Amino acid sequence: MAIGPKAHEKHRFRIEDKLSGEGAPIPDTLKEWAELYQVSGLKFLERSPTPDNEPPHPDGGIAPPLPVYRANGHCRLDKTTWETQCQRCPWGLSMVTEIILDHWNPSKKCWRFETHCYGPKDCPRYKAGSPYRVPGRKSGMVFLDDDVERVERGENPNKANF
């Protein structure tokens, strides 16, 4: 389920918390990663043993507020690495990404899941994976998103930007 910033601030959710509540199903599962939204009546069935003030780390911790993620920026994260090593990490995320197929006609778009890392540059588990292939406005057109902007700024595209 998707949790809003105010609810997270109040409850400091942790990986392995077990909750109950009522929510509305997501109308378009291709555009959202959660199954429920507008959740109300949250009740803790079981609390994770993670301490309330544990900072984010590769094996868990408390996720920081959304502005911290925005400030850190992201790099692409290899999907297999995310699936096998980063699902418990608050910095490794799988999210729905909107792709505008034609910048001359922004209403033409598609959605897909991409994995990203918002964590520290020196994480030993991080692996960038292949560049994302973004379809273009005409059949056969493809843009290769290979983090060129980070290379131009002198950053290593194979490490997360923190």
Side-chain angles (χ1 to χ4, degrees):
M1 76 179 92
I3 300 292
K6 290 290 183 192
H8 180 64
E9 184 180 314
K10 178 181 177 183
H11 298 291
R12 311 238 337 140
F13 297 103
R14 306 168 182 122
I15 293 170
E16 295 181 0
D17 280 348
K18 298 201 179 3
L19 306 164
S20 70
E22 293 187 22
I26 297 293
D28 189 346
T29 56
L30 297 177
K31 295 181 182 177
E32 295 287 342
W33 58 266
E35 294 175 14
L36 297 173
Y37 73 127
Q38 297 177 335
V39 175
S40 62
L42 273 179
K43 292 180 186 168
F44 283 90
L45 301 175
E46 189 177 322
R47 202 61 163 145
S48 164
T50 303
D52 199 25
N53 59 353
E54 186 172 347
H57 57 83
D59 290 314
I62 305 295
L66 191 55
V68 174
Y69 286 91
R70 290 184 178 132
N72 286 357
H74 69 275
C75 284
R76 70 180 188 267
L77 175 62
D78 178 66
K79 184 178 179 184
T80 303
T81 301
W82 177 79
E83 289 170 348
T84 59
Q85 299 181 52
C86 303
Q87 283 191 2
R88 294 185 56 83
C89 178
W91 299 120
L93 304 173
S94 174
M95 63 185 76
V96 177
T97 304
E98 176 185 77
I99 300 168
I100 298 173
L101 300 174
D102 183 352
H103 287 280
W104 297 104
N105 181 1
S107 65
K108 289 187 177 181
K109 45 182 103 170
C110 68
W111 303 80
R112 70 176 176 203
F113 282 87
E114 293 181 354
T115 49
H116 299 279
C117 178
Y118 288 80
K121 293 180 191 179
D122 60 352
C123 179
R125 298 179 184 181
Y126 179 75
K127 182 180 175 191
S130 301
Y132 292 123
R133 299 176 64 83
V134 181
R137 61 188 171 103
K138 293 181 182 176
S139 179
M141 288 179 71
V142 174
F143 170 75
L144 203 59
D145 182 5
D146 60 357
D147 288 337
V148 170
E149 71 280 359
R150 290 187 177 87
V151 173
E152 290 172 354
R153 292 190 337 222
E155 297 175 12
N156 182 346
N158 294 320
K159 288 291 181 182
N161 186 20
F162 183 71

